Amino acid sequence: MSQTWATSHGLDLHLDRSLTRVRAGLESAVREAIRSGRLGPGVRLPSSRVMAADLHVARNTVAEVYTQLVAEGWLTSRHGSGTFVADRPEPAPGIRQRTHDTPPPLVHDLRAGRPDLSAFPRSAWAASYRRALSTAPGSTLGYTDPRGLPELRTALADYLARARGVRAHPDRVVICSGFAQGLDNLAHALHTVGAGAIAVEAYSHQRYRAIVTAAGLRTGAVPVDEHGADIRALTGCAHLSDSGAALLTPAHQFPTGAVLSPERRRSAVAWAHRTGAVLVEDDYDGEFRYDRHPVGALQGLAPDHVAYAGTASKSLAPGLRLGWLVVPDRLLDRVIGVREASGQLVSALDQLALADLISSGGYDHQIRRGRLRYRWRRDALSATIAGHAPQVRVDGVAAGLHAVLRLPSGTEERDVVAAAARRHLSVEGLAGYADPAGLGDRRQPPALVVGYGTPADHAFTAALARLVAALEDCQRRRQGARALTRAC
Amino acid sequence: MSQTWATSHGLDLHLDRSLTRVRAGLESAVREAIRSGRLGPGVRLPSSRVMAADLHVARNTVAEVYTQLVAEGWLTSRHGSGTFVADRPEPAPGIRQRTHDTPPPLVHDLRAGRPDLSAFPRSAWAASYRRALSTAPGSTLGYTDPRGLPELRTALADYLARARGVRAHPDRVVICSGFAQGLDNLAHALHTVGAGAIAVEAYSHQRYRAIVTAAGLRTGAVPVDEHGADIRALTGCAHLSDSGAALLTPAHQFPTGAVLSPERRRSAVAWAHRTGAVLVEDDYDGEFRYDRHPVGALQGLAPDHVAYAGTASKSLAPGLRLGWLVVPDRLLDRVIGVREASGQLVSALDQLALADLISSGGYDHQIRRGRLRYRWRRDALSATIAGHAPQVRVDGVAAGLHAVLRLPSGTEERDVVAAAARRHLSVEGLAGYADPAGLGDRRQPPALVVGYGTPADHAFTAALARLVAALEDCQRRRQGARALTRAC
């Protein structure tokens, strides 16, 4: 039973009498009374004797509460004259309700960069985590190697050599909490070795440009065409050729979907070798290649010039926050230094669970399942567009979890995006990925970036139907406008 | 059975014939032959017909392998003239074995800042993690609120109000991967709102000074005495009074162990209110207070002026990488912005597991167990020193997992540390925590910082014995030197 106590001194403390721990209750009631302003600064509290009698509690209890609240700074005790509410510089501020609302999520989501989260292998992960937890030595739960635990670095070095052709000694593998942190580490390391700038593909995540800029590097834009990043710009353009680094997505350019051509791979490595630059290889979806074997990582061609980066965000889930770098020898100490200085470590149990999942074959199994699932979706997307919106060309589908839909001339990206939103479908235009400063006349024609990973299996067909309907809406409007023009 | 195949063209590919996947085997054998330099640039490979005949595999298999390796940049194909090893800018570098060896760990460890990792509640954590994994909606595994998941923010807001007197609305709770990341977030946020400097206690972790400096803030040193940080310096010293922030450890000054006096708590809040500065409260071990209730957090006095920071590193384990901030309203958007810009998120499953552990009472239970354990150890340390090294004064033991041992005058910290190391005991001197630039004449006399959290229960008594022996070594040497002086 809750009731309010008023003492004979008229201080209504709203003390909940049902509390079994009288002292704790009294303490927090006084605290709250001061916080809320009911007891103002300078107010003299009843002596502990009087208060104890009023409340029918032991005098010692009240004395302890007063002592505690004096220690915490709520009260002051002036010797011989009693206990007072301490001066506070201001009235207690109300905590205003904040909202960081993102707009209500659209029902269907075909944005790129997300895997099907309903396919996360919960039981395999649970089993690996349980094994990790039951076998981890206590020391792994402390402060450990800033590169990550040797168990995971060894498992990854083996996996990456096998699956991606990466030449990774475990000593050069660094575990991080996703690509953003890895890029941050590399950018800071490059900055400390004197790189002034990094060339970034003219179409890419805006956030990545922000991360390298925050680390003190200038950015230059490498044009992108149907063969991937146009490496000739690295040698041909004065403002790019002396960049100390380049950030590339060789396996599947993000977001245009092009695969870096063999000739350009060699040119990139030759440029790095000649100038001493470092190529940062963002291998964000290299495992998901459909038409033949995965294209091996660029890193395998030149491990001393390429910093390789991968994550579990596509293969498992972004929410795990697990990524990795394979760092060239000459940057390794710098990367370690960056992580050490800012105390960057990744959860030990998560690391051991991933090591277990890889070693037990569960990780490969999940990749194979994913490859089948996403390949089916890619084929469904291509067939649906071919059948229902033949004016649209599907591009960049050799790999990955997204495609680029080239819109017919005269169609604006933003019109399709808006038409999709009206049908409760979230999809993005290509222009949003363009480096605003870096394109010149190399801007690509209007296109959508369609992620086919995001929906759960059961929702995929419905999402495609909405996409087709949105494309048809725009097509109709365009034909209507043309008819009107002719009529005038 | 493994054997080496040499083709009739004399190319020894070291192909492992037992591989069931012939194509994969051939592909990686060719890759490896190029990597290792056995196949040099420009070397012409046998035609696919010849190679297939040599190896007794289908010609198509060889053709596919060649196509793949051309795509990866290892080979080039010149129309009509065959397939060649591509030019590579350099011989394949050997991966040299790197060692980042820390010195071999000493057998006994009494360094501060680490809890007893053998006390990590494995089964309670496993149960919470399992529940989290089985109930988490798929969406939590994606990219989520940069502040962390609402489940954990709500559980923490409730816990912190209850246990630490923190006024925390869940909207203002930010989950981070430990104090270092939280401090980094706050320092960057402070920098963006125009704070030029942060006052830091003159004794503290060197790393924290490095983190705030890296964010662009200058540091000033607040002297530390037996009542904690001397807040008068914040108002009295010109170079400190206009700092935009101060980093404090009010509950238990790290490392000196003093508790910030009530008067100084009020002064700190008054200074922040008057100047608009932010107090960063590092509540690293506030739960572990032994002689009475925990001293409530400073934040409860002035939530608009205090950014509160806590972690699970002492209560559970550093290896979990879980920490939290309670951020004043005016810094909140900036902190969120910092986290968003660099893609900082914490593992969703870890967050949900901690939320479950708190809500289920397991977290409080673990704290209570820890309080008993560490209190016992503190008492054992005090009694042992009093009994065997009475010349040493034990200080700063009202709370936390470490004590300060004031050495008798004439004893050098480094001598005791060295004597301890000879006895395979790791322990640190106080001087290592001093701000080299900020002490002036406020340097504290020689002392050891002794962490009594680190050893497992069974190893604690032995560690104490080594400590006493090291102190006795120094005492004997000092007496010997004095006798020698007298004799001369």
Side-chain angles (χ1 to χ4, degrees):
Chain A
M1 201 196 73
S2 177
Q3 70 174 67
T4 291
W5 284 6
T7 69
S8 57
H9 285 250
L11 295 177
D12 185 346
L13 292 177
H14 298 280
L15 181 64
D16 184 343
R17 197 174 192 168
S18 71
L19 284 173
T20 48
R21 293 172 61 215
V22 173
R23 190 175 78 173
L26 178 58
E27 204 175 292
S28 69
V30 176
R31 225 188 250 120
E32 198 43 50
I34 300 174
R35 268 182 192 148
S36 66
R38 273 183 286 126
L39 289 181
V43 167
R44 186 178 190 283
L45 270 79
S47 74
S48 58
R49 189 184 51 76
V50 170
M51 179 76 118
D54 278 353
L55 298 177
H56 303 286
V57 297
R59 180 175 174 185
N60 210 30
T61 303
V62 178
E64 280 176 14
V65 167
Y66 282 10
T67 307
Q68 174 67 17
L69 293 175
V70 167
E72 293 182 13
W74 298 98
L75 302 178
T76 59
S77 171
R78 296 178 210 151
H79 191 68
S81 61
T83 305
F84 300 81
V85 176
D87 284 336
R88 305 183 67 219
E90 52 175 338
I95 291 170
R96 56 184 172 90
Q97 177 81 29
R98 293 188 59 95
T99 45
H100 283 275
D101 291 339
T102 40
L106 292 164
V107 180
H108 296 278
D109 194 348
L110 288 176
R111 286 174 298 171
R114 294 164 183 80
D116 177 359
L117 297 171
S118 75
F120 180 75
R122 294 192 189 218
S123 25
W125 182 258
S128 286
Y129 195 90
R130 198 174 51 240
R131 278 193 293 269
L133 189 51
S134 63
T135 58
S139 59
T140 57
L141 295 171
Y143 294 99
T144 47
D145 192 320
R147 288 173 300 179
L149 296 175
E151 290 86 343
L152 179 55
R153 290 189 280 117
T154 304
L156 273 170
D158 173 64
Y159 168 77
L160 292 172
R162 186 160 50 77
R164 306 293 301 121
V166 170
R167 305 178 69 179
H169 190 282
D171 281 341
R172 297 196 293 116
V173 175
V174 175
I175 311 301
C176 50
S177 69
F179 180 71
Q181 186 178 77
L183 180 60
D184 170 90
N185 293 170
L186 289 170
H188 279 98
L190 286 163
H191 187 64
T192 62
V193 299
I198 181 166
V200 180
E201 291 166 334
Y203 285 86
S204 75
H205 277 292
Q206 304 292 2
R207 168 176 291 166
Y208 298 163
R209 279 187 278 268
I211 288 173
V212 296
T213 306
L217 300 178
R218 284 171 289 108
T219 61
V222 186
V224 169
D225 63 21
E226 68 274 24
H227 304 297
D230 188 350
I231 303 298
R232 290 166 300 185
L234 286 177
T235 47
C237 305
H239 72 287
L240 288 180
S241 61
D242 58 352
S243 300
L247 171 59
L248 300 173
T249 47
H252 191 222
Q253 204 281 328
F254 190 86
T256 68
V259 178
L260 191 66
S261 71
E263 187 201 334
R264 289 190 181 176
R265 291 176 153 241
R266 286 192 300 275
S267 306
V269 168
W271 170 74
H273 180 68
R274 197 170 57 249
T275 65
V278 172
L279 302 170
V280 178
E281 176 173 28
D282 176 10
D283 195 36
Y284 66 102
D285 67 1
E287 288 102 339
F288 297 104
R289 188 160 175 89
Y290 305 118
D291 295 330
R292 43 184 174 170
H293 277 307
V295 173
L298 185 64
Q299 193 267 5
L301 289 178
D304 272 2
H305 294 292
V306 179
Y308 174 90
T311 73
S313 296
K314 302 286 184 299
S315 51
L316 294 171
L320 289 181
R321 308 316 301 142
L322 286 168
W324 43 85
L325 303 174
V326 182
V327 181
D329 229 30
R330 62 188 151 127
L331 277 189
L332 185 56
D333 287 330
R334 304 296 182 140
V335 167
I336 292 172
V338 170
R339 296 187 64 79
E340 247 164 3
S342 48
Q344 290 176 18
L345 280 177
V346 172
S347 157
L349 294 169
D350 293 344
Q351 289 187 63
L352 293 174
L354 180 58
D356 181 275
L357 191 70
I358 293 173
S359 310
S360 68
Y363 190 75
D364 288 80
H365 181 69
Q366 173 71 2
I367 301 249
R368 281 197 303 275
R369 280 181 52 199
R371 215 180 274 137
L372 290 175
R373 168 182 300 107
Y374 298 129
R375 180 188 189 136
W376 175 85
R377 291 187 182 193
R378 178 200 67 158
D379 294 345
L381 170 67
S382 301
T384 304
I385 296 296
H388 297 88
Q391 74 281 12
V392 173
R393 184 164 55 87
V394 181
D395 222 2
V397 291
L401 277 60
H402 76 276
V404 170
L405 268 54
R406 306 282 177 187
L407 300 174
S409 89
T411 305
E412 299 280 350
E413 287 176 14
R414 61 168 177 272
D415 292 341
V416 189
V417 170
R422 280 191 297 272
R423 291 176 176 277
H424 303 286
L425 169 70
S426 184
V427 68
E428 293 173 325
L430 179 61
Y433 291 96
D435 181 350
L439 276 171
D441 57 349
R442 303 288 289 267
R443 186 171 290 279
Q444 299 204 359
L448 298 182
V449 180
V450 174
Y452 45 84
T454 315
D457 277 341
H458 65 85
F460 183 61
T461 314
L464 281 194
R466 309 248 167 176
L467 177 63
V468 165
L471 290 166
E472 283 169 348
D473 291 348
C474 293
Q475 176 81 349
R476 264 196 304 277
R477 201 168 313 129
R478 220 157 51 85
Q479 285 166 342
R482 217 181 290 142
L484 201 66
T485 315
R486 273 198 301 272
C488 297
Chain B
M1 198 199 74
S2 177
Q3 72 173 69
T4 292
W5 283 6
T7 69
S8 57
H9 285 251
L11 294 177
D12 185 346
L13 291 177
H14 298 282
L15 182 64
D16 184 342
R17 197 174 192 168
S18 70
L19 285 173
T20 47
R21 295 171 61 215
V22 173
R23 190 174 79 172
L26 177 58
E27 204 175 294
S28 69
V30 176
R31 225 187 252 121
E32 199 43 50
I34 300 174
R35 268 182 192 148
S36 67
R38 273 182 287 125
L39 289 182
V43 167
R44 187 178 189 282
L45 271 78
S47 75
S48 58
R49 189 185 51 77
V50 171
M51 179 77 118
D54 278 354
L55 297 177
H56 303 286
V57 297
R59 180 174 174 184
N60 210 28
T61 303
V62 178
E64 281 176 14
V65 166
Y66 282 9
T67 308
Q68 175 67 15
L69 294 175
V70 166
E72 293 181 13
W74 298 98
L75 303 177
T76 57
S77 171
R78 296 179 211 149
H79 192 69
S81 62
T83 305
F84 300 81
V85 175
D87 284 337
R88 306 183 66 221
E90 53 176 336
I95 291 172
R96 57 182 170 93
Q97 176 81 27
R98 292 188 59 94
T99 45
H100 283 276
D101 292 339
T102 40
L106 292 164
V107 180
H108 296 278
D109 195 346
L110 288 176
R111 286 174 298 170
R114 294 164 182 79
D116 177 359
L117 297 171
S118 75
F120 180 74
R122 295 194 188 217
S123 26
W125 182 258
S128 286
Y129 195 91
R130 197 174 52 240
R131 279 193 293 269
L133 189 50
S134 63
T135 58
S139 59
T140 56
L141 296 170
Y143 294 99
T144 48
D145 191 319
R147 288 173 299 179
L149 296 176
E151 290 86 344
L152 179 55
R153 289 190 280 117
T154 304
L156 273 171
D158 173 64
Y159 169 77
L160 292 172
R162 186 160 50 76
R164 305 293 301 122
V166 170
R167 305 176 69 180
H169 189 282
D171 280 342
R172 297 195 293 117
V173 175
V174 175
I175 311 302
C176 51
S177 70
F179 180 71
Q181 187 179 74
L183 181 61
D184 171 90
N185 292 170
L186 289 170
H188 278 98
L190 285 163
H191 188 63
T192 62
V193 299
I198 182 167
V200 180
E201 292 166 334
Y203 285 86
S204 75
H205 276 294
Q206 304 291 1
R207 169 176 290 167
Y208 298 164
R209 281 188 276 269
I211 288 174
V212 297
T213 306
L217 301 176
R218 283 172 289 110
T219 61
V222 185
V224 170
D225 62 22
E226 69 274 25
H227 304 297
D230 188 350
I231 303 297
R232 290 167 300 184
L234 286 178
T235 47
C237 305
H239 72 288
L240 288 181
S241 60
D242 59 352
S243 299
L247 171 58
L248 301 174
T249 48
H252 191 221
Q253 205 281 326
F254 190 87
T256 69
V259 178
L260 192 65
S261 71
E263 187 200 334
R264 290 189 181 174
R265 292 175 154 241
R266 285 193 300 275
S267 305
V269 169
W271 170 74
H273 180 67
R274 196 170 58 249
T275 65
V278 172
L279 303 170
V280 178
E281 176 172 27
D282 175 10
D283 195 36
Y284 66 102
D285 67 0
E287 287 103 339
F288 297 104
R289 188 160 175 87
Y290 305 118
D291 295 329
R292 42 182 174 173
H293 277 308
V295 173
L298 186 63
Q299 193 267 4
L301 290 177
D304 272 3
H305 295 292
V306 178
Y308 174 90
T311 73
S313 296
K314 303 284 184 301
S315 51
L316 296 170
L320 290 182
R321 307 317 300 143
L322 286 168
W324 44 86
L325 302 175
V326 182
V327 181
D329 230 30
R330 63 188 151 126
L331 277 190
L332 185 56
D333 287 331
R334 306 294 183 140
V335 167
I336 292 171
V338 170
R339 295 187 65 79
E340 247 164 4
S342 48
Q344 291 176 17
L345 279 177
V346 171
S347 157
L349 294 169
D350 293 343
Q351 289 188 62
L352 293 174
L354 181 57
D356 181 275
L357 192 69
I358 294 173
S359 310
S360 67
Y363 190 75
D364 288 78
H365 180 69
Q366 173 71 4
I367 301 250
R368 282 197 302 277
R369 280 181 52 200
R371 215 180 274 137
L372 289 176
R373 169 183 299 105
Y374 297 128
R375 181 189 188 135
W376 175 85
R377 292 188 182 191
R378 178 199 68 159
D379 294 346
L381 170 67
S382 300
T384 304
I385 297 297
H388 296 88
Q391 73 282 12
V392 173
R393 185 163 54 88
V394 181
D395 223 0
V397 290
L401 277 59
H402 76 275
V404 170
L405 268 53
R406 306 283 177 186
L407 300 173
S409 90
T411 306
E412 299 280 349
E413 287 175 13
R414 61 169 178 271
D415 292 342
V416 189
V417 170
R422 280 191 297 273
R423 291 176 175 277
H424 303 286
L425 169 70
S426 184
V427 68
E428 293 173 326
L430 179 60
Y433 291 97
D435 180 350
L439 275 172
D441 57 348
R442 304 286 289 266
R443 186 171 291 279
Q444 298 203 359
L448 297 182
V449 180
V450 174
Y452 45 85
T454 315
D457 276 341
H458 65 84
F460 184 61
T461 314
L464 281 193
R466 308 248 167 176
L467 177 63
V468 165
L471 290 166
E472 282 169 348
D473 291 347
C474 293
Q475 175 82 350
R476 263 195 304 276
R477 199 166 316 128
R478 219 158 50 85
Q479 285 167 343
R482 216 180 290 143
L484 201 66
T485 315
R486 272 199 302 273
C488 295

